Amino acid sequence: MRSAAIGGRSQRVVVYLPPGYDQNTAQRYPVLYLLHGFPGNPEGFVRTVRVGVVEDTLLAENKLRPLIIVMPMGSTGVFTDEEWANGIHAHSGWETFLARDVVRAVDSRYRTIASGAGRALGGLSEGGYASLNIGLHKPSEFRVLESWSGYEKADNVKSIFGGRHELLERNSPLHTLPKAAAGLRREQAFVWFYTGSSDRLRLQNARFAAELSRFHIPHRFFVSDGGHTWRIWRDNAWAAIQVASAHLAHG
C-alpha cells in the first residue's frame, strides 16, 4: 500500500486471514496489528514466531475466537531505524502511516470491525514500545495494547527526534500516560505487556506497570523467564493472541 505520511512510498503489509474467512462472508473480524522490532521486518512474526500456526492451533482447540493479524513493514529497510514514530524530517510520519493509512487500508479491503473496539496493537522490542506510544496518542483507535519486551522511554535517536526534549517527552509512554489516562479508561483499554527476567529493560517496564496502577488502567504485566530473545516472544505469542481476541469485539 502507498502512504502519504511517508511521501507516497509503497510499503509491504502482510495480512493473515483466519480459517473460514472466505466461507463466512457475513462475519466481521477484529484485527491484531503487530509491529516488528529493529532490525526487523514482518517475516519475523510469520517465520520465527509463527503467528499463523499459533492462531490455527488455538482455533482448532477451541481456545480462541478468530481474528485477522496485520504485520506492516515499518521502515525503509531492515536495518533502518524509524521507531514507528513521526520524525523531524519530511516524509517520516511512521506513526501516521500505521495508525491512519494502514488501518484505513485494512478496513477498506477486509471485513473488519472498523472501530477501536475491534483493534489491538502489539509488537516486539521496538515494536512493543511503539504499540504503547501510538496507543497512548490515539486511545480511541486501539482497545488492546501489547508490548513484548518493549520499553517506555523514547530512545534519543537524533535522526528521528533531533535531540528535541519536547519530542522525546511526547514519544515516551512513561511521560504521556498521565494525559492519556482518562481516554484509556473511557475507551476501556487493556494493556498487556511483559519483559524477560534478564532483560535490561525490566525495571523500566515495572515502573510503567506501577504508573498504570496509579492511574487505574486495567493491565497485566509479568516477567517471563529469559532475555531479549526470539524464544521468549515465541513462547508468549500464544497468550498474546488469546488476550487480544478475548478483549476485542467480535462480529
Side-chain angles (χ1 to χ4, degrees):
M1 54 154 289
R2 293 190 180 277
S3 168
I6 50 176
R9 280 185 58 87
S10 182
Q11 289 292 107
R12 186 164 44 89
V13 181
V14 179
V15 178
Y16 166 83
L17 299 175
Y21 180 89
D22 290 339
Q23 289 75 39
N24 303 324
T25 56
Q27 185 171 351
R28 306 194 77 84
Y29 295 82
V31 182
L32 169 60
Y33 292 85
L34 290 177
L35 310 183
H36 62 77
F38 169 75
N41 59 34
E43 275 65 37
F45 290 112
V46 178
R47 296 176 182 169
T48 307
V49 179
R50 302 173 73 204
V51 291
V53 174
V54 172
E55 178 163 0
D56 284 3
T57 303
L58 290 171
L59 286 170
E61 295 174 348
N62 294 315
K63 295 179 179 177
L64 189 78
R65 297 181 71 184
L67 43 71
I68 296 170
I69 302 177
V70 174
M71 298 153 279
M73 180 65 184
S75 66
T76 58
V78 171
F79 296 100
T80 305
D81 189 4
E82 303 289 357
E83 298 280 311
W84 296 94
N86 287 342
I88 59 173
H89 300 296
H91 311 314
S92 62
W94 292 96
E95 175 180 323
T96 304
F97 157 73
L98 180 280
R100 184 190 69 190
D101 296 344
V102 174
V103 168
R104 287 180 182 176
V106 169
D107 283 345
S108 69
R109 299 180 194 188
Y110 301 98
R111 296 194 312 276
T112 67
I113 295 173
S115 69
R119 300 188 195 110
L121 182 60
L124 58 84
S125 192
E126 180 181 287
Y129 150 76
S131 73
L132 299 177
N133 189 41
I134 296 171
L136 265 61
H137 289 168
K138 296 175 170 60
S140 65
E141 293 300 310
F142 304 97
R143 172 164 288 178
V144 178
L145 304 177
E146 295 190 355
S147 175
W148 311 0
S149 306
Y151 47 95
E152 292 80 27
K153 292 183 70 175
D155 280 342
N156 189 7
V157 182
K158 295 293 178 63
S159 62
I160 300 170
F161 302 117
R164 300 178 186 176
H165 176 75
E166 70 278 8
L167 281 181
L168 292 168
E169 288 279 307
R170 185 182 183 278
N171 288 282
S172 293
L174 267 171
H175 298 147
T176 57
L177 180 59
K179 290 184 178 179
L184 293 169
R185 291 193 297 268
R186 181 183 64 247
E187 300 297 332
Q188 300 179 316
F190 182 73
V191 183
W192 184 90
F193 64 119
Y194 65 86
T195 188
S197 56
S198 60
D199 196 317
R200 63 179 179 83
L201 300 166
R202 183 167 56 87
L203 294 180
Q204 193 175 127
N205 278 270
R207 181 181 169 195
F208 188 65
E211 288 294 284
L212 289 170
S213 294
R214 184 163 75 95
F215 287 102
H216 307 290
I217 308 299
H219 67 280
R220 182 178 180 230
F221 167 64
F222 62 97
V223 176
S224 188
D225 184 44
H228 202 82
T229 64
W230 286 104
R231 184 187 67 78
I232 200 171
W233 303 325
R234 281 195 303 269
D235 289 350
N236 287 290
W238 303 80
I241 292 174
Q242 286 178 298
V243 164
S245 177
H247 285 85
L248 293 177
H250 288 262

